Amino acid sequence: MIKPVKKQITHYISISCIIIFIFSCTKNANSNRDHLVFRYNEYANINTLDPAFSRTLQDNSVNNQIYNGLVQLDDRLNIKPCIAKSWNISNDALVYTFSLRNDVFFHKHHLFGKDSTRTVTAKDFEFSLNRLRNKKLAAPGSWVLNKVRDFKAINDTIFSIELKQPFPAFIGLLAMKYCSVVPEEILTHYGNDFRSNPIGTGPFKFKRWEENIKLVLRRNELYFEKDSLGNQLPYLEAVALTFLPDKQSEFLQFAQGNIDYLQSLDNSYKDELLTANGKLRAKYNATVNMSRGPYLNTEYLGFYLDSETPEIQSKLIRKAINYGFDRKKMMIYLRNGIGNPANGGFIPIGLEGHKTTSGYSYQPQKAKQLINQFKKESGITNPEINLVTTSNYLDFCEFIQRELEKAGLSINVEVMPEAALRSARYNGKVDMFRSSWVADYLDAENYLSIFYSKNFAPSGSNYFHFKNKTVDSLYNKAFLITNIEERKELYSKIDSLAMDHAIMVPLYYDEVVRFTQKNISGLGINPINMIDLKRVKKAEE
């Protein structure tokens, strides 16, 4: 149910005290090896340690330490070998043949028998992908195999995948955690409880998970990857996570040195850490490192075009909202300059197809002119729209509300819990909504699928119910083109068409912001905000 906006202050003193106690006990018990334990808090919690169900960024970041797939991404999102040491693609772009390493072992478990482990083979990938597309399992990641016709183990070290049609982005899908390799005998033993008893091949192995409290991973002494000098990875001895849900308390733990890493920026402490232009404040320069970079995440407002509300149906009003507020000013005041104003359409900075000319600039007079034209043509003298958001984006929506009021449009801002808004968005229950789109895989097709008419929600991600024959035709054509420059042009055309119809209001292209203690090195940063700890070092203080 929609509820009115309330400003309230909640105190988390008892939770903070518990977390301080946990951190203190852990640090005291391991003080002689504390520099080998990487500690961080995951305020959004995790749902599973089963890669087939790893659908959130939080789940993926933890499972990235436990599992490997055929390929992996580097910090620049280049596809790199992983368990597959090499691969080739047939001339018709339908068959991918992978040559596997023969020195990759599963984490130790007594069910493996005498040696408590065994080598990964192509049959393990055959099992893992069959499990992923098993309809009885109903794994949320099964869609990554929608364009796959068949796959099979040729022998222990050769694995083949055949597609139904060419799909240039396919190799990127295989880097997702959904496609991780898992052992059949362990899955058979645990069944659904595999989610809390994971066995993979990654740099860290599972030790203990007390749900909603803490998770501990230990170094995998059998890990197959080495650094450039031939030293075995990972460098750390352990990873310890807590799940404190309050971001302000999380920041307090970081400021006190109890955790090594702060992975996001929150209104509760952004002005304490950063200056108005997004620089680290001088008092933290001696103790904190800050890194920032592009994030493949577009924040936006969407319109449900099947709404019976005249203002929503009007392209004049939808365009007026796009023109009617200053995105640059919004980012400076509300995000301390972290993130880039979305003046270039829906495709974010960092993906092929992004163009600065696809979107809308700040033109308040044009916004007012469009609203007056709507009033004249419709006879509605006081146009208004209901905009639904979650509480953590309320400040953005109220900023836009104030700016459009100057142009003659009333926007009523209402707040819903995240789960309720997600359901309402899927089922067409809200006229205008706040949302975001984070890349699932590294191709702009991932973003443009949201405009395809066959992807109408609730079965797909076209929440707008936007239908355009030209867009559909260009979208289908993109699958048949392997030349990257030609695909870029198609992607840009699709984005520009959607923007011309003003089916959404792009707000900003997010940035990854990471804060670490000074003794942490090797964490890196990447445009999908994935945590990779295998090269992290923690110096002794």
Side-chain angles (χ1 to χ4, degrees), residues 36-99:
L36 296 177
V37 180
F38 185 86
R39 293 180 170 84
Y40 75 99
N41 183 69
E42 185 49 78
Y43 79 94
N45 216 321
I46 61 172
N47 304 300
T48 183
L49 298 177
D50 183 341
F53 292 86
S54 187
R55 64 189 304 171
T56 69
L57 176 63
Q58 295 76 28
D59 292 343
N60 284 332
S61 287
V62 173
N63 288 321
N64 194 43
Q65 318 314 317
I66 301 174
Y67 299 99
N68 297 109
L70 291 164
V71 296
Q72 61 187 330
L73 304 174
D74 65 13
D75 279 349
R76 295 185 178 182
L77 304 187
N78 298 306
I79 304 293
K80 294 293 185 180
C82 192
I83 296 178
K85 60 184 179 182
S86 63
W87 59 90
N88 59 65
I89 305 170
S90 63
N91 292 334
D92 60 6
L94 292 176
V95 180
Y96 291 66
T97 304
F98 298 88
S99 178

Side-chain angles (χ1 to χ4, degrees), residues 383-514:
E384 63 178 322
I385 281 179
N386 291 329
L387 167 58
V388 183
T389 183
T390 53
S391 58
N392 50 334
Y393 288 91
L394 178 60
D395 50 355
F396 287 94
C397 294
E398 288 182 334
F399 176 87
I400 294 166
Q401 177 190 49
R402 290 192 296 270
E403 294 300 297
L404 267 299
E405 189 175 11
K406 300 172 186 176
L409 176 66
S410 294
I411 298 179
N412 305 311
V413 180
E414 302 170 8
V415 171
M416 269 188 184
E418 178 66 40
L421 178 54
R422 188 184 305 117
S423 175
R425 188 173 67 232
Y426 268 109
N427 293 291
K429 301 298 184 183
V430 284
D431 283 351
M432 187 180 181
F433 52 87
R434 204 266 351 145
S435 190
S436 60
W437 192 266
V438 181
D440 287 319
Y441 51 94
L442 309 177
D443 191 276
E445 183 274 333
N446 177 212
Y447 275 77
L448 303 179
S449 63
I450 203 170
F451 304 141
Y452 189 48
S453 66
K454 291 185 179 180
N455 286 340
F456 270 23
S459 57
S461 55
N462 187 340
Y463 313 123
F464 323 101
H465 281 204
F466 174 61
K467 186 173 184 178
N468 182 277
K469 289 182 179 180
T470 305
V471 167
D472 286 353
S473 175
L474 291 173
Y475 178 80
N476 288 323
K477 185 179 178 181
F479 286 112
L480 305 176
I481 295 176
T482 56
N483 181 283
I484 185 64
E485 293 303 321
E486 290 182 37
R487 286 213 330 275
K488 282 183 183 178
E489 284 302 311
L490 276 183
Y491 290 159
S492 295
K493 285 180 182 178
I494 294 170
D495 199 11
S496 294
L497 280 167
M499 290 306 104
D500 184 60
H501 283 77
I503 66 172
M504 61 163 55
V505 183
L507 300 177
Y508 63 93
Y509 312 119
D510 210 351
E511 282 189 283
V512 176
V513 185
R514 292 182 170 181

Side-chain angles (χ1 to χ4, degrees), residues 514-525:
R514 292 182 170 181
F515 304 94
T516 58
Q517 306 291 352
K518 280 289 185 181
N519 64 330
I520 300 295
S521 62
L523 181 60
I525 194 167

Side-chain angles (χ1 to χ4, degrees), residues 271-340:
D271 294 324
E272 166 67 17
L273 263 181
L274 302 180
T275 62
N277 62 353
K279 303 293 184 182
L280 191 66
R281 290 197 180 275
K283 66 179 179 178
Y284 290 105
N285 282 335
T287 57
V288 174
N289 287 322
M290 173 184 168
S291 55
R292 58 189 283 193
Y295 186 10
L296 299 183
N297 173 32
T298 301
E299 300 286 340
Y300 69 93
L301 306 179
F303 300 101
Y304 179 59
L305 302 181
D306 280 346
S307 167
E308 295 180 358
T309 305
E311 289 88 341
I312 296 295
Q313 293 176 353
S314 171
K315 190 189 295 187
L316 296 172
I317 292 294
R318 300 198 305 266
K319 284 193 171 186
I321 297 173
N322 270 289
Y323 285 122
F325 66 101
D326 189 337
R327 291 167 173 83
K328 183 177 180 180
K329 179 181 176 182
M330 178 181 74
M331 297 308 293
I332 291 172
Y333 285 106
L334 300 182
R335 290 270 296 181
N336 294 57
I338 301 296
N340 294 283

Side-chain angles (χ1 to χ4, degrees), residues 30-37 236 537-541:
N30 299 281
S31 57
N32 60 330
R33 297 179 67 80
D34 185 58
H35 68 286
L36 296 177
V37 180
L236 296 166
K537 292 182 178 179
K538 184 177 179 181
E540 194 166 5
E541 293 181 295

